[in-house]
Amino acid sequence: MKIKILKKSDDEIEFEVTGRTPAFANALRRTMMVKVPVLAIEDVIFTANDSPLFDEVIAHRLGLIPLKFVPKTFNRRDECSCGGEGCINCQVVFVLDKTGPCTVYSGDLKSTNPEVKPLYDNIPITKLGENQKLKLEAVAIMGTGKEHAKWKAANAFYQYEGDKFKFTVETVSGLSPKDIVIQATEILESEAKELKKAL
Ligand SMILES: [Zn+2]
């Protein structure tokens, strides 16, 4: 197998793979999109919501905000040593407390973990009128794109050019494209090892 990096930026990577089958290329593409775990907001507890949007709509919008985090620092909550109760090793709590008139942005979410924050500060969540309040606590946990699109790490596709695959991987999460490719190859490797062990 030969690999050539064609282009690399903060949110996109392009590379060429030679000497592999379409089945391999497709497994890699799918793994990058739906199996690499990322952090996203899952539970939201509202104390006040005077905004024009329902709680469910705001919770949905919060879930789609990409979060920047250090790869491999968090366990899945359902596999954590805390037994799924939630602890600093498997979840991050954000606090939001705003009073209008204003627009509430992703940057208004205050993280209780200094290493985790929204990737962009300027994603609008809702608008608040005079004296309207939005007060909530949001809990982010690890998940994969297979479970819900909000945990999708990347958009990945390839062009098949006779004897080589030209991949484009664009991050849609807080992970860098490089981390996504690395983790996807590690996941494929561990799956192959499991199969070998079973045989
Ligand atoms: Zn835990």
Side-chain angles (χ1 to χ4, degrees):
M1 178 165 69
K2 260 168 70 182
I3 293 173
K4 193 168 134 198
I5 306 293
L6 304 172
K7 211 173 102 186
K8 208 164 91 178
S9 70
D10 286 349
D11 52 11
E12 203 177 282
I13 191 166
E14 277 179 30
F15 58 94
E16 216 172 66
V17 179
T18 319
R20 276 290 172 266
T21 62
F24 171 83
N26 202 36
L28 180 60
R29 182 189 68 85
R30 281 190 55 80
T31 305
M32 291 190 284
M33 297 219 302
V34 301
K35 286 190 184 171
V36 173
V38 300
L39 198 62
I41 288 174
E42 167 74 346
D43 307 319
V44 184
I45 303 145
F46 290 86
T47 321
N49 178 14
D50 304 324
S51 83
L53 301 181
F54 289 120
D55 290 4
E56 296 78 10
V57 179
I58 290 182
H60 176 71
R61 294 185 82 122
L62 294 175
L64 296 175
I65 294 170
L67 301 174
K68 195 153 184 61
F69 66 102
V70 182
K72 299 183 191 171
T73 44
F74 294 101
N75 303 325
R76 283 186 62 96
R77 191 162 64 181
D78 53 6
E79 290 168 4
C80 188
S81 55
C82 67
E85 271 184 37
C87 68
I88 52 162
N89 297 319
C90 65
Q91 68 178 33
V92 178
V93 178
F94 291 87
V95 178
L96 193 149
D97 188 353
K98 293 289 281 184
T99 305
C102 65
T103 300
V104 183
Y105 291 100
S106 49
D108 293 317
L109 283 164
K110 300 295 167 230
S111 175
T112 55
N113 180 327
E115 288 186 331
V116 180
K117 57 179 185 155
L119 187 59
Y120 309 106
D121 283 342
N122 57 354
I123 303 169
I125 298 167
T126 187
K127 278 188 172 169
L128 295 175
E130 186 78 36
N131 285 326
Q132 287 186 335
K133 285 185 198 315
L134 181 63
K135 212 173 161 178
L136 59 86
E137 222 179 77
V139 182
I141 60 169
M142 297 298 282
T144 60
K146 215 160 92 179
E147 297 158 85
H148 191 284
K150 69 180 174 183
W151 284 299
K152 190 163 116 178
N155 282 324
F157 59 91
Y158 62 80
Q159 288 164 287
Y160 186 29
E161 294 168 354
D163 60 351
K164 60 189 176 198
F165 301 92
K166 194 177 151 205
F167 274 87
T168 303
V169 181
E170 178 206 12
T171 179
V172 291
S173 63
L175 289 178
S176 72
K178 184 181 140 201
D179 282 326
I180 292 165
V181 180
I182 291 173
Q183 282 198 57
T185 56
E186 288 171 354
I187 291 166
L188 282 174
E189 193 186 354
S190 86
E191 283 178 354
K193 271 188 188 153
E194 266 174 50
L195 176 65
K196 197 173 151 193
K197 218 167 101 185
L199 290 170

